[in-house]
Amino acid sequence: MRPDQPDEPWLSFLNELDGMLSEPTELHCIGGFAVVHAYGSDRTTTDLDILLPAVVANGARLIEAAGKASALKTRYGVHLE
């Protein structure tokens, strides 16, 4: 994330998600989140669009842990999509 962009709630959300994962996982971010945090756009977003990992089971676990119906969404108001 860029220093001039607000980190929250994204930093706490991603840190908690990281603690839930049993193996290193790369998230390739696209969409509005990427535009906001990479280029400083004024746009806001409540979802983080990702390209799912090649192993579908890992992708399903990510969406279960941090998707629209997850406890993380309830806690932080943001989610993976």
Side-chain angles (χ1 to χ4, degrees):
M1 291 185 200
R2 292 173 40 150
D4 60 335
Q5 296 297 317
D7 291 339
E8 295 301 335
W10 296 107
L11 183 59
S12 295
F13 172 82
L14 291 170
N15 280 333
E16 190 165 342
L17 174 60
D18 186 52
M20 297 170 76
L21 301 174
S22 60
E23 58 193 48
T25 304
E26 290 184 18
L27 295 181
H28 297 269
C29 304
I30 59 175
F33 178 88
V35 171
V36 169
H37 292 280
Y39 301 105
S41 171
D42 291 335
R43 175 184 174 177
T44 60
T45 186
T46 60
D47 70 336
L48 194 164
D49 299 310
I50 60 169
L51 296 174
L52 288 176
V55 179
V56 175
N58 289 340
R61 281 194 289 267
L62 281 171
I63 297 304
E64 182 179 329
K68 283 184 181 181
S70 69
L72 287 179
K73 162 70 173 171
T74 302
R75 192 165 17 267
Y76 296 104
V78 297
H79 63 279
L80 295 183
E81 193 161 272

